[in-house]
Every structure is written in C-alpha cells, then in structure tokens.
Amino acid sequence: MDSMTILVLILGSSVVAVVLGHILTGLRAGATVRRDRYAAAVKLLVARIEYPYRIRRRTSDNPDVLHTLTTIGHDLQERLAESRAWTATESAVLSEVFDYCLTRIDTPFKQACNDAWNATPVATAAGMNLNGFGMGNQQHVVTSIQDALTYRFGLRRLIPAFLLRRVLKKRGLLPP
C-alpha cells in the first residue's frame, strides 16, 4: 500500500467515526428529552390524582387559601394540555395511553374534588386523617403509563404503531 491510500483510509475512518459519534450523541440527547418529558407527564398524572387531597386538607376557606388552590388547579390544567399536545406529537400510541389513563381517573377525580370543596376546612391535626376520602388507590393507572413508556426507548421504539397499539391493547394499557 502506498502512503496516499493509507492517508485516505485513516481520514475516511476518522470521518466515519465523527459522523457515528454525532449520530449517537443525537440519539442519546433525543432519548433524554423524551425521558424527561414523559417523566413530567407521569408527574402530572400523579399531581392530578393528589389534587383533591390538597383541597380536602385546606385549613380555611379564606380567599388566599382558595386562590392558592385554584391557581394550582389552573396550573394542572395548563400543564395537562401541554403534556397532551407534546405526547400527541411524540407518539400517537402513547398519546392514546396517556388519554386513556386520564379518562380512567376522570370520574373519581371530579367526584373527589366535588366532595373536597363541599367539606369543611380542616381545623385540627386529626382532621388531616382522611378516613377513606378520595379517589382510592390509583397506582394501577400510574403503572399503566409507566409500562407503556418502556416501548418508547431502546429497540422497542422501532415497533410500528399498528403493532404497538395491538400489544398495548392485549396488555390492558389501551381499551379493547
């Protein structure tokens, strides 16, 4: 081999290595953004489940307390709309799972909020004990979205949407 061929091979392999490095860095960065955004969506789902408990545990009905609680409620609604929009653009199938999770908690959420607003403010430490108040255990809903999220990372991300939808329906993460 002459020195020119060796130089071309060395430069060529360096260029390939740089290109592959940039591609892998981009893939990692994309996965990090997805992970963070989906984590925020799960956090929002949990915050929505917890909101009626915040209302129920309010210590007074004075305007400042009510204003704080309604501000939290409005913020949850805004973040919910933002998470729904982002999820819909990132993955139609995961958007369906997220919406299904929200639908599953919607009725108990509304009832718990209604009950909480109609309850008198808590005046004692013992009043913080909710004695059965609320939406009940909703961990299964949070677990559903977490299970579905495993299909947005690694090689599972390559599963076509029609097939992924079928898999998630079979696992009960989407309605039949």
Side-chain angles (χ1 to χ4, degrees):
M1 257 190 205
D2 67 5
S3 61
M4 183 57 100
T5 305
I6 292 172
L7 181 61
V8 168
L9 287 174
I10 290 172
L11 290 176
S13 65
S14 296
V15 169
V16 169
V18 168
V19 168
L20 285 176
H22 281 292
I23 290 170
L24 292 175
T25 299
L27 290 174
R28 265 191 301 257
T32 299
V33 168
R34 267 194 326 280
R35 189 174 294 107
D36 291 347
R37 296 298 299 262
Y38 279 126
V42 172
K43 183 178 176 182
L44 175 61
L45 188 63
V46 172
R48 188 166 172 86
I49 292 167
E50 291 296 319
Y51 182 62
Y53 299 100
R54 285 179 175 240
I55 298 169
R56 179 63 189 93
R57 285 187 168 132
R58 72 189 184 283
T59 55
S60 78
D61 278 337
N62 78 45
D64 290 339
V65 171
L66 298 178
H67 176 73
T68 299
L69 287 169
T70 56
T71 299
I72 292 168
H74 292 304
D75 181 56
L76 282 171
Q77 288 299 106
E78 289 172 5
R79 291 185 318 168
L80 176 64
E82 191 271 336
S83 281
R84 278 183 149 158
W86 180 83
T87 304
T89 61
E90 203 287 312
S91 168
V93 179
L94 261 290
S95 178
E96 291 173 30
V97 173
F98 189 57
D99 286 343
Y100 183 52
C101 288
L102 289 167
T103 299
R104 289 164 59 194
I105 66 167
D106 194 50
T107 299
F109 171 78
K110 288 177 181 176
Q111 184 61 52
C113 285
N114 188 45
D115 294 347
W117 284 120
N118 288 325
T120 58
V122 174
T124 64
M128 292 290 175
N129 184 347
L130 298 174
N131 296 322
F133 165 82
M135 297 173 55
N137 186 352
Q138 298 295 320
Q139 183 58 42
H140 64 285
V141 177
V142 176
T143 301
S144 292
I145 190 74
Q146 290 171 334
D147 289 348
L149 287 174
T150 63
Y151 291 93
R152 294 309 298 152
F153 299 93
L155 292 177
R156 288 180 168 186
R157 183 169 167 74
L158 302 176
I159 298 173
F162 76 92
L163 186 57
L164 178 57
R165 192 173 282 110
R166 191 177 310 168
V167 167
L168 295 179
K169 282 181 181 184
K170 195 176 215 178
R171 295 193 60 207
L173 304 176
L174 280 173

